[in-house]
Amino acid sequence: FGAPYGNRVSGVVDMRSGDPLQTTPLAGAGFNLTHGYAYTKIPFAQQKAQFIASVRRSHNDFWRTPTFAEYTRRVQRGSIITEDLTGRAQDLRIEDDFQFVDAHAKIGFRPNPQNDIAVAGFITTNQFQDSIFNILSTRRRRDTLRLTNVGSSLKWKHNWGKGWATTLKGVY
């Protein structure tokens, strides 16, 4: 399935770093309402190889944006409605902390015009802590979730000529 996911709180991130070799170094960085990011593409080995790296990190631990506040409201609204926390919304004190970091690195190598080789890896970490305190009943509920995912891939593509090519890819 593709990267558009509809009106959901979470989804899948479609990460692609590109295969064509960059002939000049390229770097960039940015900041939006949910995270900051940086990336680079650096050619080496006489333009036959390149190194690609990117990193992304949430910033809500030092800047609480309306976007993160809305995500939090949606997630907590679902847990408040489905759990037995008697009391109205104004009787609840909600504390939350959500952070994520992900990084990606790839080395691509083109030893000759017929062969492309790439090795890539990524790591992502999500941490979510939530505390809901009902002032009327002095009842507190805490949730903690920490997820770490790692992955890697190895790809070799050989062009045989006249529109024929073979691609082998291993993914972990």
Side-chain angles (χ1 to χ4, degrees), residues 49-152:
Q50 74 177 352
F51 173 73
I52 301 171
S54 64
V55 64
R56 185 177 68 134
R57 183 192 186 282
S58 62
H59 53 64
N60 64 313
D61 54 333
F62 60 88
W63 182 37
R64 300 289 295 185
T65 65
T67 304
F68 259 107
E70 179 62 17
Y71 286 158
T72 300
R73 185 187 68 75
R74 285 186 183 192
V75 169
Q76 290 168 341
R77 181 182 61 195
S79 65
I80 290 168
I81 290 171
T82 59
E83 295 292 328
D84 184 43
L85 289 173
T86 58
R88 300 172 309 235
Q90 64 265 28
D91 297 330
L92 300 175
R93 189 174 71 217
I94 300 170
E95 300 167 359
D96 62 78
D97 184 27
F98 174 69
Q99 296 177 4
F100 64 85
V101 177
D102 53 58
H104 173 263
K106 178 178 180 179
I107 294 179
F109 179 57
R110 182 174 290 151
N112 56 50
Q114 292 80 29
N115 290 287
D116 286 313
I117 301 166
V119 178
F122 79 92
I123 184 168
T124 182
T125 301
N126 297 300
Q127 295 183 6
F128 178 74
Q129 294 179 350
D130 189 29
S131 177
I132 301 173
F133 180 68
N134 186 319
I135 296 167
L136 296 177
S137 68
T138 64
R139 185 172 165 198
R140 179 180 299 269
R141 189 193 78 201
R142 291 186 181 135
D143 293 317
T144 301
L145 177 64
R146 291 184 180 99
L147 298 171
T148 299
N149 292 304
V150 295
S152 59

Side-chain angles (χ1 to χ4, degrees), residues 17-28:
S17 59
D19 283 328
L21 288 175
Q22 187 77 22
T23 57
T24 58
L26 172 70

